[in-house]
Amino acid sequence: MLLRQLEYFVAVARERHFARAAEVCYVSQPALSTAIAKLERELDVTLIHRGQNFEGLTLEGERLVVWAKRLLAEHDGLKAEAAALRTGISGTLRLGTGPTVSTTTAIPVAAFCNLHPKANVSISSRLSSAELLRQLRDFELDAAIAHFGPEDRAGLEVVPLYKERYVLLVSGDQLAPGTRAITWSDAAQLPLALLEPHMRFRQFIDKAFAENGVTPSPQVETDSVASLYALVATGAWASVVPHTWLRAVPQLGAARAVRLIEPETTAQISLAIHAGRGSAAARAFVNVAAGARLDDQFDLQSEHWLLK
């Protein structure tokens, strides 16, 4: 069995088309098909349903493509580890985040790049929680920063980074001048723009509203925290955003941040990599991020804007 055969098999599974898979592997379609057929003979299983076109993976193919991805990732990790021993961390760290966490990556990424100047970082910042987990487990990402519940942790090494807190963003005369805090119950009575219901951040704040016996009825819903800022700036709506965004976008027009209380709700944000199989770059990033003391930095900066 050759790594090249596994690469061809994974490419076909990803592209779901023989010609496209051959193109991304820089080989002819007959060469790709011959290599996969040889792999099937060596494993004594049929991996792909074939007709005139690709018709999907067999049950055996669906199971074995996971192993193929893992072996290829191990191979890439071995090469990266050897390169790191020779010349330091290099290559590209593939980092994923959700929309609400996207701005918090700047601090650990800056520290990582400063410590490892030969390394590059590619950030995908609009991934759902489910897609983050899928890409991480399929070795399409090296690391991810997000909310990880107990049910998400199988096969992953999860390192806590900071606790996300929630603030009400308002503008205009929605609240009396000088208001420093508001209860979740009172916030639910304001005209609201919120993130969409399927997003994990929205689920956390809906739970906080529910614990106070209220259900928010937002007039506008979006998948972008930046959009929430722009909506609040019009003066027509208030919104709930992570306290970390006060550092990234401290104020916009007349918008100001107010602490949400009763209860003061938090959610743990963590960094996850493959358990026991993280790449050299991923493990180096964990070391940098874990030592960045993000809780202290974000809390200090958010306090500044909450008191303005």
Side-chain angles (χ1 to χ4, degrees):
M1 183 190 307
L2 300 176
L3 287 171
R4 182 173 63 252
Q5 293 169 310
L6 299 179
E7 290 172 356
Y8 295 171
F9 172 44
V10 169
V12 171
R14 182 180 62 249
E15 301 295 330
R16 308 190 72 79
H17 193 277
F18 284 102
R20 286 199 299 270
E23 183 178 351
V24 298
C25 291
Y26 301 102
V27 296
S28 67
Q29 184 173 332
L32 178 136
S33 297
T34 298
I36 293 176
K38 183 176 180 182
L39 177 64
E40 290 176 316
R41 289 195 300 271
E42 291 179 8
L43 296 174
D44 195 24
V45 293
T46 301
L47 300 171
I48 298 171
H49 290 300
R50 292 175 175 81
Q52 289 187 339
N53 298 301
F54 175 83
E55 295 182 357
L57 299 182
T58 64
L59 178 60
E60 295 83 358
E62 293 284 2
R63 294 181 63 178
L64 291 178
V65 74
V66 177
W67 283 94
K69 290 177 178 178
R70 184 176 300 164
L71 288 170
L72 291 173
E74 293 279 10
H75 176 251
D76 290 343
L78 175 62
K79 291 195 298 184
E81 190 77 29
L85 291 172
R86 291 194 311 270
T87 62
I89 300 295
S90 60
T92 299
L93 173 76
R94 299 165 301 171
L95 176 64
T97 75
T100 62
V101 185
S102 59
T103 59
T104 67
T105 62
I107 294 174
V109 166
F112 173 78
C113 290
N114 183 60
L115 192 61
H116 305 288
K118 295 182 180 179
N120 298 316
V121 181
S122 173
I123 304 173
S124 299
S125 62
R126 295 187 62 81
L127 301 177
S128 67
S129 297
E131 184 62 12
L132 273 175
L133 286 169
R134 185 198 68 77
Q135 291 195 23
L136 195 55
R137 291 194 169 117
D138 282 354
F139 301 95
E140 296 172 19
L141 291 173
D142 300 302
I145 299 177
H147 310 89
F148 293 99
E151 71 281 4
D152 300 328
R153 300 184 176 221
L156 301 178
E157 177 184 340
V158 179
V159 179
L161 293 184
Y162 66 93
K163 288 189 180 297
E164 185 175 72
R165 307 177 193 280
Y166 308 118
V167 298
L168 184 77
L169 202 63
V170 295
S171 64
D173 58 0
Q174 292 169 343
L175 293 181
T179 300
R180 296 291 177 82
I182 185 172
T183 67
W184 287 88
S185 297
D186 288 341
Q189 309 310 311
L190 298 172
L192 293 173
L194 297 176
L195 293 178
E196 293 179 343
H198 71 275
M199 300 176 72
R200 189 164 292 192
F201 178 86
R202 171 67 182 276
Q203 293 164 9
F204 284 134
I205 64 173
D206 279 352
K207 181 180 178 182
F209 280 120
E211 288 175 354
N212 283 271
V214 295
T215 302
S217 299
Q219 185 177 19
V220 182
E221 293 176 322
T222 177
D223 64 354
S224 165
V225 181
S227 293
L228 293 180
Y229 263 79
L231 289 163
V232 170
T234 68
W237 297 281
S239 189
V240 180
V241 300
H243 77 303
T244 53
W245 275 75
L246 300 182
R247 172 185 177 275
V249 188
Q251 66 182 81
L252 186 63
R256 58 194 176 95
V258 176
R259 191 186 310 276
L260 276 161
I261 59 173
E262 298 181 17
E264 289 202 21
T265 305
T266 65
Q268 181 66 56
I269 303 297
S270 301
L271 169 62
I273 64 172
H274 305 288
R277 291 188 296 272
S279 67
R283 286 186 283 103
F285 186 70
V286 168
N287 292 336
V288 169
R293 302 178 63 86
L294 295 179
D295 254 331
D296 293 344
Q297 295 196 54
F298 294 142
D299 286 351
L300 180 63
Q301 290 162 344
S302 66
E303 284 297 323
H304 170 75
W305 291 107
L306 285 166
L307 292 174
K308 284 178 73 69

